[in-house]
Amino acid sequence: MTSRVPVVGGNWKMNLDLASAAELADDIVAGLGASELQCDVMLFPPFPYLHTVGKILGHHAVLLGAQNVWTEANGAYTGEVSTSMLHDLATTVVLVGHSERRHVIGEDDALVARKVRAALAADLRVVLCVGETLDQRHAGQTETVVLGQIRSGLSDVTVPEMARVVIAYEPVWAIGTGATATPEDAQAVHASIRAWISDRFGAATGAATRIQYGGSVTPRNAAELFAQPDIDGGLIGGASLKADAFLAIVRAAISTP
Ligand code: PEP
């Protein structure tokens, strides 16, 4: 970890019901205490629970996040949700390009880039998710794929806007599988991402941009991942559904030097 403030996100995906989402948010807020000041904490409930979870977060520093957003302000886009609708619910951050959106729903780099653009134009923060499949890793294409997703996703982003962007490196083969990249392998990809950002946006932006790791992070493996110099916290799926586990991961992000 470095002087960058770590950032830990809980991606609840399409899990929980209203009561258990409220209970989880309550338990997380209660468990964080003052420690949130040393770590940016983001919660990404399913859309229908944003309102309830947002009310629980209240003036707490935990950021309310959405798992997705549409590119247009309004119109005939059945089933989609706009940036202004997210603002109405006090949502301040959005996941864009999560591997399940890319590989299950079929979002391509061009759509991901448009979503990044729309979210930033609407003053939201963005967590841009990138990562290679197992076949791509075995074919030695990890860096090409990941940097290609970043190049495309950030194609229309300005230096000032980069202050509202977090990158989540999430190898597809590690998401929800129990398999985790080794700290050294993850660090190598994070270092490449940071080098690319420095090259494109300047050294100061490269040094300041937070790059999270995601993919089967648990309280057991979080500290050694977060100890890597270019890993600035995590995007957490399964382990974010239990308050104790999520809080332990937040603590690992805070206490890892
Ligand atoms: C995720 O959904 O972004 C994720 C990393 O999931 P998990 O922690 O369950 O692998």
Side-chain angles (χ1 to χ4, degrees), residues 12-93:
W12 296 354
K13 311 193 186 194
M14 200 178 72
N15 290 304
L16 305 170
D17 56 24
L18 185 58
S20 50
E23 190 182 334
L24 181 56
D26 264 331
D27 290 348
I28 289 172
V29 169
L32 278 173
S35 58
E36 81 224 33
L37 300 173
Q38 302 154 59
C39 178
D40 285 345
V41 178
M42 304 171 166
L43 296 182
F44 299 90
F47 281 136
Y49 306 153
L50 279 171
H51 181 63
T52 299
V53 171
K55 281 171 77 173
I56 291 166
L57 300 185
H59 296 297
H60 207 270
V62 176
L63 300 177
L64 181 65
Q67 298 174 18
N68 187 24
V69 68
W70 188 239
T71 56
E72 308 304 317
N74 47 54
Y77 301 102
T78 301
E80 296 295 343
V81 171
S82 71
T83 54
S84 60
M85 293 169 183
L86 295 183
H87 277 301
D88 281 346
L89 296 174
T91 307
T92 56
V93 53

Coordinates of all heavy atoms in Angstrom, one line a residue, residues 12-93:
W12 N -22.6 -6.2 -4.2 CA -23.5 -7.2 -3.7 C -24.2 -7.9 -4.9 O -24.9 -8.9 -4.6 CB -24.6 -6.5 -2.9 CG -24.1 -5.8 -1.6 CD1 -22.8 -5.9 -1.1 CD2 -24.8 -5.1 -0.6 NE1 -22.7 -5.2 0.1 CE2 -23.9 -4.7 0.4 CE3 -26.1 -4.6 -0.6 CZ2 -24.3 -3.9 1.5 CZ3 -26.5 -3.8 0.5 CH2 -25.6 -3.5 1.5
K13 N -23.9 -7.5 -6.1 CA -24.4 -8.2 -7.3 C -26.0 -8.4 -7.1 O -26.6 -7.5 -6.6 CB -23.7 -9.5 -7.5 CG -22.2 -9.4 -7.5 CD -21.5 -10.6 -8.0 CE -20.0 -10.5 -7.8 NZ -19.2 -11.4 -8.5
M14 N -26.5 -9.4 -7.7 CA -28.0 -9.7 -7.6 C -28.3 -10.6 -6.4 O -28.8 -11.7 -6.6 CB -28.5 -10.2 -8.9 CG -30.0 -10.0 -9.1 SD -30.6 -10.6 -10.7 CE -30.5 -12.4 -10.4
N15 N -27.9 -10.1 -5.2 CA -28.0 -11.0 -4.0 C -28.8 -10.2 -3.0 O -29.0 -9.0 -3.1 CB -26.6 -11.3 -3.5 CG -25.9 -12.3 -4.3 OD1 -26.4 -13.4 -4.6 ND2 -24.7 -11.9 -4.8
L16 N -29.2 -10.9 -1.9 CA -29.9 -10.4 -0.8 C -31.4 -10.1 -1.1 O -31.8 -10.1 -2.2 CB -29.2 -9.1 -0.2 CG -27.7 -9.2 0.1 CD1 -27.1 -7.8 0.3 CD2 -27.5 -10.1 1.3
D17 N -32.1 -9.8 0.0 CA -33.5 -9.2 -0.2 C -33.5 -7.9 0.6 O -32.4 -7.5 1.1 CB -34.6 -10.2 0.3 CG -34.4 -10.6 1.8 OD1 -33.7 -9.8 2.5 OD2 -34.8 -11.7 2.2
L18 N -34.6 -7.2 0.5 CA -34.6 -5.8 1.1 C -34.2 -5.8 2.5 O -33.3 -5.0 3.0 CB -35.9 -5.2 0.9 CG -36.1 -3.7 1.3 CD1 -35.1 -2.9 0.5 CD2 -37.5 -3.2 1.1
A19 N -34.7 -6.7 3.3 CA -34.4 -6.7 4.8 C -33.0 -7.1 5.0 O -32.3 -6.4 5.9 CB -35.3 -7.8 5.5
S20 N -32.4 -8.1 4.3 CA -31.0 -8.4 4.6 C -30.1 -7.4 4.0 O -29.0 -7.2 4.6 CB -30.7 -9.8 4.1 OG -31.1 -10.0 2.8
A21 N -30.5 -6.7 3.0 CA -29.6 -5.6 2.5 C -29.5 -4.5 3.5 O -28.5 -3.9 3.8 CB -30.2 -5.0 1.1
A22 N -30.7 -4.2 4.1 CA -30.7 -3.1 5.1 C -29.9 -3.5 6.4 O -29.1 -2.7 6.9 CB -32.2 -2.8 5.5
E23 N -30.0 -4.8 6.7 CA -29.3 -5.3 7.9 C -27.8 -5.2 7.6 O -27.0 -4.8 8.5 CB -29.7 -6.7 8.2 CG -29.2 -7.2 9.5 CD -29.7 -8.7 9.7 OE1 -30.7 -9.1 9.1 OE2 -29.0 -9.4 10.4
L24 N -27.4 -5.6 6.4 CA -26.0 -5.6 6.1 C -25.4 -4.2 6.1 O -24.3 -3.9 6.6 CB -25.8 -6.3 4.7 CG -24.4 -6.4 4.1 CD1 -23.4 -7.1 5.1 CD2 -24.4 -7.1 2.8
A25 N -26.2 -3.3 5.5 CA -25.7 -1.9 5.5 C -25.6 -1.3 6.9 O -24.6 -0.7 7.3 CB -26.7 -1.0 4.7
D26 N -26.6 -1.6 7.8 CA -26.6 -1.2 9.2 C -25.3 -1.8 9.9 O -24.6 -1.0 10.6 CB -27.8 -1.9 9.9 CG -29.0 -0.9 10.0 OD1 -28.7 0.3 10.0 OD2 -30.1 -1.4 10.0
D27 N -25.1 -3.0 9.7 CA -23.9 -3.7 10.4 C -22.6 -3.1 9.9 O -21.7 -2.9 10.7 CB -23.9 -5.2 10.1 CG -25.1 -5.9 10.9 OD1 -25.7 -5.2 11.7 OD2 -25.4 -7.0 10.6
I28 N -22.5 -2.8 8.6 CA -21.3 -2.2 8.1 C -21.1 -0.8 8.6 O -20.0 -0.5 9.1 CB -21.3 -2.2 6.5 CG1 -21.1 -3.7 6.0 CG2 -20.1 -1.4 6.0 CD1 -21.3 -3.9 4.6
V29 N -22.1 0.0 8.6 CA -22.0 1.4 9.1 C -21.6 1.3 10.6 O -20.7 2.0 11.1 CB -23.3 2.1 8.9 CG1 -23.2 3.4 9.7 CG2 -23.5 2.4 7.5
A30 N -22.3 0.4 11.4 CA -22.0 0.3 12.8 C -20.6 -0.1 13.0 O -19.9 0.3 14.0 CB -23.0 -0.6 13.5
G31 N -20.1 -1.1 12.2 CA -18.8 -1.6 12.4 C -17.6 -0.7 12.0 O -16.5 -0.9 12.5
L32 N -17.9 0.2 11.1 CA -16.8 1.1 10.6 C -16.3 2.1 11.6 O -15.1 2.4 11.7 CB -17.3 1.8 9.3 CG -17.2 0.9 8.1 CD1 -17.8 1.7 6.9 CD2 -15.7 0.6 7.8
G33 N -17.2 2.7 12.4 CA -16.8 3.7 13.3 C -16.1 4.8 12.6 O -16.4 5.2 11.5
A34 N -15.0 5.3 13.2 CA -14.2 6.3 12.6 C -13.2 5.9 11.6 O -12.6 6.6 10.9 CB -13.5 7.1 13.7
S35 N -13.1 4.5 11.4 CA -12.1 4.0 10.6 C -12.3 4.3 9.1 O -11.4 4.3 8.3 CB -12.0 2.5 10.7 OG -13.2 1.9 10.4
E36 N -13.5 4.7 8.8 CA -13.8 5.0 7.4 C -13.0 6.2 6.9 O -12.7 6.3 5.7 CB -15.3 5.4 7.2 CG -15.6 6.8 7.5 CD -16.9 6.9 8.4 OE1 -17.2 6.0 9.1 OE2 -17.6 7.9 8.2
L37 N -12.5 7.0 7.8 CA -11.7 8.2 7.3 C -10.4 7.8 6.7 O -9.8 8.5 6.0 CB -11.5 9.1 8.5 CG -12.8 9.6 9.2 CD1 -12.4 10.4 10.5 CD2 -13.5 10.5 8.2
Q38 N -9.9 6.6 7.1 CA -8.6 6.1 6.5 C -8.8 5.3 5.3 O -7.8 4.7 4.8 CB -7.9 5.4 7.6 CG -7.6 6.2 8.9 CD -7.5 5.3 10.0 OE1 -6.6 4.4 10.1 NE2 -8.4 5.4 11.0
C39 N -10.0 5.1 4.9 CA -10.3 4.2 3.7 C -11.6 4.7 3.1 O -12.6 4.9 3.8 CB -10.4 2.8 4.2 SG -10.8 1.5 2.9
D40 N -11.6 4.8 1.8 CA -12.9 5.0 1.1 C -13.7 3.7 1.0 O -13.1 2.7 0.5 CB -12.7 5.6 -0.3 CG -12.2 7.1 -0.2 OD1 -12.4 7.7 0.8 OD2 -11.7 7.6 -1.3
V41 N -14.9 3.7 1.5 CA -15.7 2.5 1.5 C -16.9 2.8 0.6 O -17.6 3.8 0.7 CB -16.1 2.1 2.9 CG1 -17.0 0.9 2.8 CG2 -14.9 1.8 3.8
M42 N -17.1 1.9 -0.3 CA -18.2 2.0 -1.3 C -19.1 0.8 -1.2 O -18.6 -0.4 -1.2 CB -17.7 2.1 -2.7 CG -16.7 3.2 -2.9 SD -15.9 3.1 -4.6 CE -15.2 4.7 -4.7
L43 N -20.4 1.0 -1.2 CA -21.3 -0.2 -1.3 C -22.2 -0.1 -2.5 O -22.7 0.9 -2.9 CB -22.3 -0.2 0.0 CG -21.6 -0.3 1.3 CD1 -22.6 -0.4 2.4 CD2 -20.7 -1.6 1.4
F44 N -22.3 -1.3 -3.2 CA -23.0 -1.3 -4.5 C -24.1 -2.3 -4.4 O -24.0 -3.5 -4.8 CB -22.0 -1.8 -5.6 CG -20.9 -0.9 -5.9 CD1 -19.7 -1.0 -5.2 CD2 -21.0 0.2 -6.8 CE1 -18.6 -0.2 -5.4 CE2 -19.9 1.1 -7.0 CZ -18.7 0.9 -6.3
P45 N -25.3 -1.9 -3.8 CA -26.4 -2.8 -3.7 C -27.1 -2.9 -5.1 O -26.9 -2.1 -6.0 CB -27.4 -2.0 -2.7 CG -26.8 -0.7 -2.4 CD -25.5 -0.6 -3.3
P46 N -28.0 -3.9 -5.2 CA -28.9 -3.9 -6.4 C -29.7 -2.6 -6.5 O -30.0 -2.0 -5.5 CB -29.8 -5.1 -6.2 CG -29.1 -5.9 -5.1 CD -28.3 -5.0 -4.3
F47 N -30.0 -2.2 -7.7 CA -30.8 -1.0 -7.9 C -32.0 -0.9 -7.0 O -32.2 0.2 -6.4 CB -31.3 -0.9 -9.4 CG -30.3 -0.5 -10.4 CD1 -30.2 -1.1 -11.6 CD2 -29.5 0.6 -10.2 CE1 -29.3 -0.7 -12.6 CE2 -28.6 1.1 -11.1 CZ -28.5 0.4 -12.3
P48 N -32.8 -1.9 -6.8 CA -34.1 -1.7 -6.0 C -33.8 -1.4 -4.6 O -34.7 -1.0 -3.9 CB -34.8 -3.0 -6.2 CG -34.2 -3.7 -7.4 CD -32.8 -3.2 -7.4
Y49 N -32.6 -1.6 -4.1 CA -32.3 -1.4 -2.7 C -31.5 -0.1 -2.5 O -31.1 0.2 -1.3 CB -31.5 -2.6 -2.1 CG -32.2 -4.0 -2.3 CD1 -31.5 -5.1 -2.4 CD2 -33.6 -4.0 -2.5 CE1 -32.2 -6.4 -2.6 CE2 -34.3 -5.2 -2.7 CZ -33.5 -6.4 -2.7 OH -34.2 -7.6 -3.0
L50 N -31.2 0.6 -3.5 CA -30.4 1.8 -3.4 C -31.0 2.8 -2.4 O -30.3 3.4 -1.6 CB -30.2 2.5 -4.7 CG -29.1 1.9 -5.7 CD1 -29.2 2.6 -7.0 CD2 -27.7 2.1 -5.1
H51 N -32.3 3.0 -2.5 CA -33.0 4.0 -1.7 C -32.8 3.6 -0.2 O -32.4 4.5 0.6 CB -34.4 4.1 -2.1 CG -35.2 5.1 -1.3 ND1 -34.9 6.4 -1.4 CD2 -36.2 5.0 -0.5 CE1 -35.7 7.1 -0.6 NE2 -36.6 6.2 0.0
T52 N -33.2 2.4 0.1 CA -33.1 1.9 1.5 C -31.7 2.0 2.0 O -31.4 2.5 3.1 CB -33.7 0.5 1.6 OG1 -35.0 0.5 1.2 CG2 -33.6 0.0 3.0
V53 N -30.7 1.5 1.3 CA -29.4 1.5 1.7 C -28.8 2.9 1.9 O -28.2 3.3 2.8 CB -28.5 0.6 0.8 CG1 -27.0 0.8 1.2 CG2 -28.9 -0.8 0.9
G54 N -29.2 3.8 0.9 CA -28.8 5.2 0.9 C -29.3 5.9 2.2 O -28.6 6.6 2.8
K55 N -30.5 5.6 2.6 CA -31.0 6.2 3.8 C -30.2 5.7 5.1 O -30.0 6.5 6.0 CB -32.5 5.9 4.0 CG -33.4 6.8 3.1 CD -34.8 6.4 3.1 CE -35.6 6.8 4.3 NZ -37.0 6.5 4.1
I56 N -29.8 4.5 5.0 CA -29.1 3.9 6.2 C -27.7 4.6 6.2 O -27.2 4.9 7.3 CB -28.9 2.4 6.1 CG1 -30.3 1.8 6.4 CG2 -27.9 1.9 7.1 CD1 -30.5 0.4 6.0
L57 N -27.1 4.8 5.0 CA -25.8 5.4 5.0 C -25.9 6.9 5.4 O -24.9 7.4 6.0 CB -25.2 5.3 3.6 CG -25.0 3.9 3.0 CD1 -24.2 3.9 1.7 CD2 -24.2 3.0 4.0
G58 N -27.0 7.5 5.1 CA -27.2 8.9 5.6 C -26.0 9.8 5.3 O -25.5 9.9 4.2
H59 N -25.6 10.5 6.4 CA -24.4 11.4 6.2 C -23.1 10.7 6.5 O -22.1 11.3 6.6 CB -24.6 12.6 7.2 CG -25.8 13.4 6.8 ND1 -25.9 14.0 5.6 CD2 -27.0 13.7 7.4 CE1 -27.1 14.7 5.5 NE2 -27.7 14.4 6.6
H60 N -23.2 9.4 6.7 CA -22.0 8.6 6.9 C -21.1 8.7 5.6 O -21.6 8.9 4.5 CB -22.4 7.1 7.1 CG -21.5 6.3 7.9 ND1 -20.4 5.7 7.3 CD2 -21.4 6.1 9.2 CE1 -19.7 5.0 8.3 NE2 -20.3 5.3 9.4
A61 N -19.8 8.6 5.8 CA -18.9 8.8 4.7 C -18.9 7.6 3.7 O -18.3 7.7 2.6 CB -17.5 9.1 5.2
V62 N -19.5 6.6 4.0 CA -19.6 5.4 3.1 C -20.3 5.9 1.8 O -21.4 6.5 1.9 CB -20.3 4.2 3.7 CG1 -20.5 3.1 2.7 CG2 -19.6 3.7 4.9
L63 N -19.7 5.6 0.6 CA -20.3 6.0 -0.6 C -21.3 5.0 -1.1 O -21.1 3.8 -1.1 CB -19.2 6.2 -1.7 CG -18.1 7.2 -1.3 CD1 -17.0 7.3 -2.4 CD2 -18.7 8.6 -1.1
L64 N -22.4 5.5 -1.6 CA -23.5 4.7 -2.2 C -23.2 4.5 -3.7 O -23.0 5.5 -4.4 CB -24.8 5.3 -2.0 CG -26.0 4.5 -2.5 CD1 -26.2 3.2 -1.8 CD2 -27.3 5.3 -2.4
G65 N -23.1 3.3 -4.1 CA -22.7 3.0 -5.5 C -23.8 2.2 -6.3 O -24.5 1.4 -5.7
A66 N -23.8 2.4 -7.6 CA -24.7 1.5 -8.4 C -23.8 0.6 -9.2 O -22.6 0.8 -9.5 CB -25.5 2.4 -9.4
Q67 N -24.4 -0.6 -9.6 CA -23.6 -1.6 -10.3 C -23.6 -1.4 -11.8 O -22.9 -2.1 -12.5 CB -24.3 -3.0 -10.0 CG -24.2 -3.4 -8.5 CD -25.0 -4.7 -8.3 OE1 -25.3 -5.4 -9.2 NE2 -25.3 -4.9 -7.0
N68 N -24.3 -0.4 -12.2 CA -24.5 -0.2 -13.7 C -25.1 1.2 -13.9 O -25.7 1.7 -13.0 CB -25.3 -1.3 -14.3 CG -25.3 -1.3 -15.8 OD1 -24.4 -0.7 -16.5 ND2 -26.4 -1.8 -16.4
V69 N -25.0 1.7 -15.1 CA -25.8 2.9 -15.5 C -25.9 2.9 -17.0 O -25.2 2.2 -17.7 CB -24.9 4.2 -15.0 CG1 -23.6 4.3 -15.8 CG2 -25.8 5.4 -15.1
W70 N -26.9 3.6 -17.5 CA -27.1 3.7 -18.9 C -26.4 5.0 -19.4 O -26.1 5.9 -18.6 CB -28.5 3.6 -19.3 CG -28.7 3.6 -20.8 CD1 -29.4 4.4 -21.6 CD2 -28.2 2.6 -21.7 NE1 -29.4 4.0 -22.9 CE2 -28.6 2.9 -23.0 CE3 -27.3 1.5 -21.5 CZ2 -28.2 2.1 -24.1 CZ3 -27.0 0.7 -22.6 CH2 -27.4 1.0 -23.9
T71 N -26.2 5.1 -20.7 CA -25.4 6.2 -21.3 C -26.3 7.5 -21.6 O -25.7 8.6 -21.7 CB -24.8 5.8 -22.7 OG1 -25.9 5.3 -23.5 CG2 -23.9 4.6 -22.5
E72 N -27.6 7.3 -21.8 CA -28.4 8.5 -22.2 C -29.1 9.1 -20.9 O -29.4 8.4 -20.0 CB -29.4 8.1 -23.2 CG -28.8 7.4 -24.4 CD -27.7 8.2 -25.1 OE1 -27.9 9.4 -25.3 OE2 -26.6 7.6 -25.4
A73 N -29.5 10.3 -21.1 CA -30.1 11.0 -19.9 C -31.6 10.5 -19.7 O -32.0 10.5 -18.5 CB -30.2 12.5 -20.2
N74 N -32.3 10.2 -20.7 CA -33.7 9.7 -20.6 C -34.1 9.2 -21.9 O -33.4 9.3 -22.9 CB -34.6 10.8 -20.1 CG -34.5 12.0 -20.9 OD1 -34.5 12.0 -22.1 ND2 -34.2 13.1 -20.2
G75 N -35.3 8.6 -22.0 CA -35.8 8.1 -23.3 C -36.2 6.7 -23.3 O -36.5 6.1 -22.2
A76 N -36.4 6.1 -24.5 CA -36.9 4.8 -24.6 C -35.9 3.7 -24.5 O -35.4 3.2 -25.5 CB -37.6 4.7 -26.0
Y77 N -35.5 3.5 -23.2 CA -34.4 2.5 -22.9 C -34.9 1.6 -21.8 O -34.5 1.7 -20.7 CB -33.1 3.2 -22.5 CG -32.6 4.1 -23.6 CD1 -32.8 5.5 -23.5 CD2 -32.0 3.6 -24.7 CE1 -32.3 6.4 -24.5 CE2 -31.5 4.5 -25.7 CZ -31.7 5.8 -25.6 OH -31.3 6.7 -26.6
T78 N -35.9 0.8 -22.2 CA -36.6 -0.1 -21.2 C -35.6 -0.9 -20.3 O -34.7 -1.5 -20.9 CB -37.5 -1.1 -22.0 OG1 -38.4 -0.3 -22.8 CG2 -38.3 -1.9 -21.0
G79 N -35.8 -0.7 -19.1 CA -35.0 -1.5 -18.1 C -33.7 -0.8 -17.7 O -33.0 -1.3 -16.8
E80 N -33.4 0.3 -18.3 CA -32.1 1.0 -18.0 C -32.3 2.1 -16.9 O -33.5 2.5 -16.7 CB -31.5 1.5 -19.2 CG -31.1 0.5 -20.2 CD -30.0 -0.5 -19.7 OE1 -29.3 -0.1 -18.7 OE2 -29.8 -1.6 -20.3
V81 N -31.2 2.5 -16.4 CA -31.3 3.6 -15.3 C -30.3 4.7 -15.7 O -29.1 4.4 -16.0 CB -30.9 2.9 -13.9 CG1 -30.7 3.9 -12.9 CG2 -32.0 1.9 -13.5
S82 N -30.7 5.9 -15.6 CA -29.8 7.0 -16.0 C -29.0 7.6 -14.8 O -29.3 7.3 -13.6 CB -30.7 8.1 -16.6 OG -31.5 8.8 -15.6
T83 N -28.1 8.4 -15.2 CA -27.3 9.1 -14.2 C -28.1 10.0 -13.3 O -27.9 10.0 -12.0 CB -26.2 9.9 -14.8 OG1 -26.8 10.8 -15.8 CG2 -25.2 9.1 -15.5
S84 N -29.1 10.7 -13.8 CA -29.9 11.6 -13.0 C -30.8 10.8 -12.0 O -31.0 11.2 -10.9 CB -30.8 12.5 -13.8 OG -31.6 11.8 -14.6
M85 N -31.2 9.6 -12.4 CA -32.0 8.7 -11.5 C -31.1 8.3 -10.3 O -31.5 8.2 -9.2 CB -32.5 7.5 -12.2 CG -33.6 7.8 -13.2 SD -34.0 6.4 -14.3 CE -35.2 7.2 -15.4
L86 N -29.8 8.0 -10.7 CA -28.9 7.6 -9.6 C -28.6 8.8 -8.7 O -28.6 8.7 -7.4 CB -27.5 7.2 -10.2 CG -27.6 5.9 -11.0 CD1 -26.2 5.5 -11.5 CD2 -28.2 4.8 -10.3
H87 N -28.5 10.0 -9.2 CA -28.4 11.2 -8.4 C -29.6 11.4 -7.5 O -29.4 11.7 -6.3 CB -28.2 12.5 -9.3 CG -26.8 12.7 -9.7 ND1 -25.8 12.9 -8.9 CD2 -26.3 12.9 -11.0 CE1 -24.7 13.1 -9.6 NE2 -25.0 13.1 -10.9
D88 N -30.8 11.1 -8.0 CA -32.0 11.3 -7.2 C -31.9 10.4 -5.9 O -32.5 10.7 -4.9 CB -33.2 10.9 -8.0 CG -33.7 12.0 -8.9 OD1 -33.2 13.1 -8.8 OD2 -34.5 11.6 -9.8
L89 N -31.2 9.3 -6.0 CA -31.1 8.4 -4.9 C -29.8 8.6 -4.1 O -29.4 7.7 -3.3 CB -31.1 6.9 -5.4 CG -32.5 6.6 -6.0 CD1 -32.4 5.2 -6.6 CD2 -33.6 6.6 -5.0
A90 N -29.1 9.7 -4.4 CA -27.9 10.1 -3.7 C -26.7 9.1 -4.0 O -25.8 8.9 -3.1 CB -28.1 10.2 -2.2
T91 N -26.8 8.5 -5.1 CA -25.7 7.6 -5.5 C -24.6 8.4 -6.1 O -24.8 9.3 -6.9 CB -26.2 6.6 -6.6 OG1 -27.4 6.0 -6.2 CG2 -25.2 5.6 -7.0
T92 N -23.4 8.1 -5.7 CA -22.3 9.0 -6.1 C -21.2 8.3 -6.9 O -20.3 8.9 -7.4 CB -21.6 9.7 -4.9 OG1 -21.2 8.6 -4.0 CG2 -22.5 10.6 -4.2
V93 N -21.3 7.0 -7.0 CA -20.3 6.2 -7.7 C -21.0 5.1 -8.5 O -22.0 4.6 -8.0 CB -19.2 5.7 -6.7 CG1 -19.8 5.0 -5.5 CG2 -18.1 4.9 -7.4

